[in-house]
Amino acid sequence: MSLKIKRNIPLIDQHDKNFMYGGKFGGNFIPETLKKPIDDLTKLFTKLRKDKKFLNERDYHFKNYVGAPTPFIKLENLTDHLGGAQIYAKVVSEANGGAHKIYNATVHCLIAKKAGKKYIVGDTGAGYAGKMLSMAAKKFDLKCKIFMGAKDIKRQRPNVEAMKKNGAKIVPVTTGSQTLVDAVSECMRYWVSNCDTTHMCVGSTVGPNIFIKICAWSTAQISRELIKQVYEEFGRVPNKLKLINCVGGGSSAAGFWNEFINTKAQLIGVEAGGPNNSTLHAAPLTNGSKIGILHGAAQYVIQDKEGQIGSTESISAGLDYPGISPLHCFLKDTKRARYTSASDEEALEAYQLVSKLENISPSLEPSHAFAEAIKLAPKLNSSEVIVVNSCGDSLKDKDIIKQKLGSYIR
Amino acid sequence: MKSKITLAFDICKKEKRPALITYTVAGDNTKNNSLKILNELSKHADILELGFAHNTPIADGGQIQGSSHRALKNGIKLKDVFQIVKKFKKINPHKPIILMGYFNLIFQNGENNFLKSCKSSGVDGLIIVDLPYPENKKFANKCKRKSINFIQLLSPTTSKDRMKKIIKDSHDMIYYISMLSTTGGKLKVSPKKILHNYNAIKRINPKKNLVIGFGITDKTISSLKSANGLVVGSMLCKTITESLKMRQNPVTKLGKVVYNLKSKII
Ligand SMILES: Cc1ncc(COP(=O)(O)O)c(C=O)c1O
């Protein structure tokens, strides 16, 4: 049976009454204790997203705090260098804090205030989700705790420093692989124990359904801006327009594509392929992982035959996650989006080429998307357009890049 | 025909005491020891919960995570868990065993396949931490048809309306989570408050066997003994951790701990 996207229904609302997308992705596989807090949050969000005053508030903060719109620029030098399709970037890294995670963080803080909560907790991998949540928490006067894998604390130092400066308490997670997957688990466990006083923010479009919805609803700002910018530049959505985005949990991609779902634009997601010489990766869609349950939702997930969640490996902490948003599983199975992966080495090369030729310097996550653009562009006609979501800045990856390439340029 | 779980509660009621329910993880600290531990526990416990470990648990505290970690490091697989149950049941055919774990393992094994193994090894009941009501209805019915108890969970956050529905659809035993916590948390609510909630649930259907779990140790168990049953888990996992650290035999150590727990509720 082939899945279909229903027309005129927002992507996040394509689920059935059990909160499953396409009948098999998502849902709420949660302990009983979280049923009520999740129901309460679902009711509150359902109300708020129809509330004019709340929408105005959101738009006000997106404009004045996050900084909307983020730039849409042509990468002239990269285009010339590759000699094919015209390459553009949506420079989401210009948003306050340096990445798209600010949208979700801001909205969660606004919701936490409406819910009367004084504490907010969140997970982070690359440290951006944590940094943004700590920033927004400070702005909206919420006490903030961030769960982060001990391995990621070491490899994403600049963002850790930022969180500390914002007054957040960082809880190092030392279980399992000590990366994002463990941080999300630990954060959920914390919420189970503290859901009466504390609001939880999940850092990407993963987790129980309501967190997927809030996150994708927040990052949708990216494509609301982009579709306008595309019309301004081209007067229409160009034929065969390609929108390329990296996918870890999938929040930036969902936001980058949302307003284009009902257009002819081609949506290409790039997962983390891991090092060239390794069998490990973080690309469940590209490599045909089976459906399993991770962090409360059914999704394609890297796992063994028994159902134990598998290890991942990626140079990019933000993409180093065994699962993927149920939204992307749905987009894959409906064939609305196509997914591929880039290796660590390809991402590094892409980082280097873009940083050398252009005024932007993508972090290792969007460098995966640039790697795909670099592969595709030379094969395409100069009338075709590629837009890459440059959703993070390389500064946070300085240490890793120096270690791998010998020097860091920006 | 009454289930072994119901029969166990009947005996305890006759003796005017709560059922003592233990939780350990299959394969902790080894497959062999795990069987020995069950045999030892069964001398004093009325019902045995046996965890099948998952490496990404979203509701377990540190102690049980530690046990699961040891079990997985030992290479424990579902088929080993069923082997342990089968061997245990050969010696103790009447002692009820409840498997407890996360849904993904069942999902990957196949629901029917999993239940078939439960049946052939002698599993009496299931607690699935991340398959709440009403999402669990279909699977719970499947269990019922196979005469396996699906044990519903209630928590302090469960609304009265929801409780009524869950209790109506429940089987022979219901599990009340004493407080907002992962397993192994310190009891942060007074026993009086817990029993107050417990009694409110009992009033909805006094016939259902209702047990309390989370935060129960030798320090707190006697204050809750008016319940139908009390679950002790993290304290036992911790006992294993500590006896390993001190190079003691976890089996004999656990025997003493359960004896002591039992003595506090009779
Ligand atoms: C810059 C950047 N891009 C992408 C990601 C991946 O997350 P997602 O797929 O949710 O956008 C992260 C996650 O930390 C990130 O920091």
Side-chain angles (χ1 to χ4, degrees), chain A residues 28-33 35-36 175 185 189 192-193 196 291-295 303 305-309, chain B residues 53-58 60 65 72 78 103-105 108 129-130 132-133 135 157-158 162 180-182 188:
Chain A
N28 287 308
F29 295 87
I30 48 169
E32 173 63 23
T33 303
K35 264 279 178 185
K36 178 155 192 308
T175 50
S185 301
R189 288 190 284 259
V192 170
S193 300
D196 50 345
I291 298 176
I293 292 146
L294 174 63
H295 294 142
Q303 59 182 327
K305 273 205 187 100
E306 284 269 310
Q308 305 295 349
I309 302 306
Chain B
H54 184 37
N55 70 354
T56 318
I58 53 173
D60 285 327
Q65 280 185 55
L72 289 169
L78 266 184
F103 189 58
N104 196 38
L105 270 77
Q108 300 311 321
V129 181
D130 56 348
Y133 186 88
E135 283 87 347
T157 56
T158 313
R162 183 172 160 77
L180 302 187
S181 173
T182 52
K188 56 183 182 181

Side-chain angles (χ1 to χ4, degrees), chain A residues 99-101 126 128 204 246-252 318-319 363 365-366 391-392:
Chain A
H100 62 290
K101 301 280 178 190
Y128 269 136
S204 186
C246 61
V247 282
S251 64
S252 50
L319 306 182
S363 72
E365 291 83 11
C391 56

Side-chain angles (χ1 to χ4, degrees), chain A residues 72 159 330 401:
Chain A
F72 175 60
N159 281 348
F330 181 61
I401 292 167

Side-chain angles (χ1 to χ4, degrees), chain A residues 247-361:
Chain A
V247 282
S251 64
S252 50
F256 190 53
W257 297 344
N258 190 62
E259 301 296 316
F260 291 89
I261 298 281
N262 289 325
T263 71
K264 287 236 164 72
Q266 296 172 11
L267 314 177
I268 302 168
V270 188
E271 297 184 301
N276 277 337
N277 57 5
S278 170
T279 55
L280 296 179
H281 57 86
L285 294 180
T286 308
N287 296 325
S289 299
K290 282 176 63 179
I291 298 176
I293 292 146
L294 174 63
H295 294 142
Q299 62 201 273
Y300 291 118
V301 55
I302 297 168
Q303 59 182 327
D304 68 11
K305 273 205 187 100
E306 284 269 310
Q308 305 295 349
I309 302 306
S311 311
T312 55
E313 189 175 356
S314 170
I315 192 170
S316 141
L319 306 182
D320 201 355
Y321 185 71
I324 171 80
S325 177
L327 294 174
H328 289 291
C329 300
F330 181 61
L331 289 174
K332 182 188 179 197
D333 276 20
T334 53
K335 301 199 165 63
R336 181 61 193 93
R338 168 171 86 74
Y339 296 85
T340 181
S341 66
S343 68
D344 285 4
E345 290 78 2
E346 289 168 327
L348 274 168
E349 264 175 47
Y351 145 78
Q352 208 167 22
L353 187 64
V354 176
S355 303
K356 200 175 77 191
L357 294 177
E358 299 289 345
N359 278 330
I360 59 169
S361 181

